[in-house]
Amino acid sequence: MNGTILKIRFLFSFLLVFTFWSKAFSQIGFPYCETFTSGSTQESTVFGADAQLIDGVLRLTSNQTNQRGYVYIDIPFSSVFGIKASFEYFSYGGNGADGLTIFMFDADTPVFNPGGFGGSLGYAQRNNEPGLSNAYIGIGFDEYGNFGNSAEGRNGNFFGVGQERVPDAVVIRGPGNGSTGYPFLVGRKTMGTGNEGFRPDNQFPISSGGLGTTRVTDRNLPGYRKVFMDLQPNPVGTGYFLTVKMEVTTRTNEPMMLTIFDRPYDFPAPKNLKIGFSASTGGQTNFHEIRNLLVEVSNDEALEEPKGVDFEDKASCEGQENTYYITDEEVVLPNPNSVIRCLQFYASLEDIEAETGDVCSQGKCKENNRELILPQGTFRAGSNGGDFTFFPNLGFRDQEVTVYYTITDTYGKTSAGNAMTLLIQESPDPVSLLIENETLPFDGIRLCAGEEVVLAAKGEEVYERFEWYKDGQLIPGATTSSFIVNSDGEYEVRVYNRKNCPSVSNSVKVYYPAYPYGIIQNPVVGCTPGQTVDVTISISGYDSDKYDYQLSGFGKVWLNDEMKSISQTGNYELRIKEKDLDCYSDPFEVEVIILAKVLVADFQFGVQGTGITGDSDGGIFPDDVIQFSDLSDEDAISWNWNFGDGATSSEQNPTHVFGKRGDFEIELVVKNELGCESRITKSLSITRSYRLMIPTGFTPTLTENKTFLPKYKGFTGIELLIFNTWGELIFQTSDLNTIGWDGTLEGKLMDAGVFVYRFDGVSTDGEKVSEAGKFNLIR
């Protein structure tokens, strides 16, 4: 963009002041005027929950149950000067619940959270719901009657009511945060009499109508409501003097102005506050809406209007945009912590005077006043307070143009208007930025590390002065028609003619590509002896379309995809360059290792402590502990076993119990320290779930073989029965740990002879086993 700064006074100081202003939370953006009648709001209006713009109003709740909505103005105002607000509100169309609050909270609150809804109206705590974050004051317009009682954990109530409802009331609650505070301070019953109410002819319901009613916008019709709130700084004490008034119409063409509160509010205020609104419904409903909101400084009399000055020493350059700054030091800003909020332009002083009667026009930076189009050119206000631009049209060289401007400060105070006269001067011919000794324009160049390029400013006239810029920043000391570039950046040159008017060149980008580092996964390993390895798969982000790769070693050079077949173990060097450049990067070390012998995995298994490996050895049972022994090469450093039944192990020599019959494929995968792996699979069969062997006789009179006991394994339950040859039962046991029959009956050893047994059992996998036969008792 072409442009010039013809007069800059303390630009750096201005930026510091602007930063301080933003951080100091001085009064920004008041008076705040928002009608809510258009389809959008100012950026500083923050919506939450069910709040929405609709039908020319800000609707906080619809006529539905359990609605909650809030907005707050994200503009801090200084508590030193107080605040006042006015707004129309509409509550109608339902059976009367719950109500609306206007609230204020500490502007330094990092995260905004509304209070409990329902009867707490988005301000106070409610059961387990915390109240408004760092709340300062809440003024509730309560239809249903819970904001003024102590139900749902609220703090304090109208005298004597406890948790009873007090419908149609305006209630003030004090500061609080989280679950503490928000005390009931005072209330007025708008349909009551006595000290807490009104005379009968001044009474009014908070809601303007019941079921089926509509919004009342005419102040002369019954149901109209407008609120006026003023927090005036207390000149002799802490806090404020609070005034709340309402314009209410209960009879046609007879609007009334009623004072609801006029009393001190003695709580110390935070340095800065923000203001907002909330509303809620519960089991009963109403629309809750507001319109025509105006928020102003309360102690407006303590503020003064800023004073501008007439400028006659500014010049401009024809046919291009010129940039100017009116700094805070050039004008008078009498209010504390105040800076220039905006400039507005007018063709005459009469145009300025025509707006002085409208407080919103005075305090608001109106978009239509931020641009002024004249035959001589266009003035536009900038976004940083006192900055603006002027684009003089062609054909007005050496002529003057006069406009009028106002300054609005951070409190919404606007100056009376001052004149600004600019001289339109000749602009220089266009300038091009080229490579020295070349004639073709270009927009960028890529260079190798250590290379330089000389850029030159070329035009059709003799320029008086040169300024070189890198990435938008002035390069100190670069004041000639050429400049040597040796670093990344976007460069441009500004040339000036004898009138000190500039021309800005095209931008040129100079780029020194940075080569990637740490891209090699060393070493590159070949696990199969005699085979080649692919080095490219170890290069992170390998892209032979964008880069050229060069691998060298043992007196040879491999380029790009040639590196996919490297056959020799050893150390190599890798270099990289971008396709369009001739310079390679510094070398990366690459180590290639190809195994001299293949890694072999192997193992054996057997029943722990027995040597049994299968059916030929007596068989493996489900509850046997199987010992697996690694027989792999000694180079293996990791072992991964898969036992074929879903179980795994990383031990070198694990044990495992299968717990069931079946055929299992046992896989072992081993790795060496280079990441090469080998695997082997062997089969293991468990065909038996039990073992049963019946002896043919026993000798109870000897020390060996003195009881009759079948040998068994793999049973969860047994029964052993002994009979004589007449079929009489003489012994019975179901003890798994029995020692067997000792040959006696009722304590007396029986004669030698033949006896009959029956064995019944249930194996570990549920199979029922039954055997019977004869055996000898030998004496």
Side-chain angles (χ1 to χ4, degrees), residues 33 137 369 495 563 614:
C33 305
I137 186 173
N369 292 335
V495 298
M563 299 187 301

Side-chain angles (χ1 to χ4, degrees), residues 230-245:
D230 193 355
L231 272 178
Q232 306 168 45
N234 189 342
V236 294
T238 344
Y240 298 95
F241 197 87
L242 170 64
T243 301
V244 178
K245 296 183 178 181

Side-chain angles (χ1 to χ4, degrees), residues 246-301:
M246 290 184 65
E247 184 178 356
V248 176
T249 305
T250 58
R251 296 176 293 274
T252 303
N253 295 325
E254 295 183 21
M256 302 180 291
M257 182 64 74
L258 302 176
T259 298
I260 311 298
F261 301 113
D262 197 15
R263 53 170 288 131
Y265 187 78
D266 296 329
F267 294 93
K271 181 180 177 182
N272 302 286
L273 292 164
K274 292 180 182 177
I275 188 171
F277 302 84
S278 61
S280 58
T281 67
Q284 294 181 266
T285 65
N286 256 343
F287 289 104
H288 295 98
E289 302 165 343
I290 64 174
R291 187 181 73 170
N292 291 329
L293 172 63
L294 171 61
V295 183
E296 305 174 77
V297 174
S298 176
N299 192 14
D300 190 69
E301 296 78 8

